[in-house]
Amino acid sequence: MKNKEEKKESFLKKHWSNILFGLFVILLIIPQTRTPIQVFINKIISFSPSEISEDDRESLKTYNWVLMNERGEDINFNQSKDKVVIINYWATWCAPCIAEMPSLQELYTEFKDDVDFYFVTNDEPQKVNTFMSKNDYDMPSYRQRSQAPQILQSSSLPTTYMISKKGEIIMKKIGSANWSSDKVKNTIRENL
């Protein structure tokens, strides 16, 4: 009997990391545990985005882009010309998007009076409203009614752009980031 227990203990000591990895993989397969794990990992690896060097910045040639707000009203992106703008493409099912939302909410809360924010999603309005309400977010969400200017098109989620008053893209980040960092806030202040 003792020999069996020793073998079992020896097996566990030798293979503990494989067992843990197997459990982790199983948890990632189960939908109810996958998203929280992915969000947690993305929060850990999210760093502050970097400013694009002045020599490498691209500029918007057009601001023609029609979006629809939560109330079903059309909004033309032209209204943001000559303003600092943050555009974030996201989805309620996207773990990296969910991971960065608290930092975007913090940024929005601090700068909503000085910066135009566009949180653009293709999710159904009811799904978006439920997500925002559940998480106590008050950021404005939009759906595209026309195609974004070529320079602002992205097929990756999340993708976030910061645009200067001159129409230059001063930050572009694909993937989750910490948008409430001092570096981001200082970049906004310098461009206001």
Side-chain angles (χ1 to χ4, degrees):
M1 183 79 166
K2 189 173 184 181
N3 196 14
K4 258 187 178 180
E5 285 182 27
E6 286 175 358
K7 284 183 179 179
K8 184 178 174 184
E9 194 173 304
S10 174
F11 175 81
L12 289 174
K13 281 184 180 178
K14 281 184 180 177
H15 301 288
W16 69 270
S17 61
N18 290 336
I19 294 168
L20 278 176
F21 181 73
L23 285 171
F24 182 72
V25 169
I26 290 169
L27 289 173
L28 284 177
I29 293 171
I30 302 169
Q32 292 85 349
T33 55
R34 177 180 45 237
T35 300
I37 290 170
Q38 290 173 324
V39 168
F40 176 75
I41 291 170
N42 273 280
K43 282 184 178 181
I44 290 173
I45 62 172
S46 292
F47 299 104
S48 181
S50 297
E51 196 172 332
I52 299 170
S53 71
E54 289 189 35
D55 295 338
D56 295 331
R57 292 181 185 172
E58 296 180 272
S59 293
L60 283 173
K61 307 245 185 298
T62 179
Y63 279 74
N64 288 326
W65 185 23
V66 179
L67 301 128
M68 182 176 62
N69 68 15
E70 304 101 336
R71 295 177 300 283
E73 303 165 336
D74 283 351
I75 304 296
N76 196 312
F77 187 61
N78 275 320
Q79 72 184 18
S80 294
K81 197 169 187 171
D82 302 322
K83 296 180 182 177
V84 175
V85 179
I86 304 270
I87 299 168
N88 174 263
Y89 293 100
W90 70 286
T92 58
W93 50 263
C94 164
C97 302
I98 295 167
E100 73 176 1
M101 277 296 182
S103 69
L104 285 165
Q105 175 63 54
E106 186 179 325
L107 192 69
Y108 173 73
T109 300
E110 186 168 340
F111 291 100
K112 64 184 173 188
D113 295 331
D114 302 312
V115 174
D116 282 1
F117 287 85
Y118 294 88
F119 297 94
V120 181
T121 182
N122 287 328
D123 287 349
E124 292 301 317
Q126 184 57 43
K127 207 173 203 179
V128 172
N129 293 339
T130 301
F131 175 84
M132 295 295 215
S133 178
K134 178 181 153 198
N135 292 289
D136 290 325
Y137 296 145
D138 65 347
M139 303 173 287
S141 66
Y142 298 89
R143 293 177 56 107
Q144 296 188 76
R145 299 275 283 176
S146 67
Q147 202 169 37
Q150 182 69 34
I151 199 170
L152 297 176
Q153 292 180 16
S154 176
S155 58
S156 300
L157 295 177
T159 298
T160 306
Y161 299 90
M162 183 187 298
I163 303 167
S164 73
K165 289 180 176 183
K166 296 186 281 183
E168 293 179 327
I169 297 176
I170 51 179
M171 283 186 176
K172 177 183 178 183
K173 174 70 172 137
I174 297 172
S176 63
N178 175 10
W179 290 97
S180 61
S181 70
D182 288 338
K183 184 178 6 176
V184 172
K185 291 176 181 181
N186 288 335
T187 300
I188 290 174
R189 287 184 193 105
E190 290 167 8
N191 283 278
L192 285 177

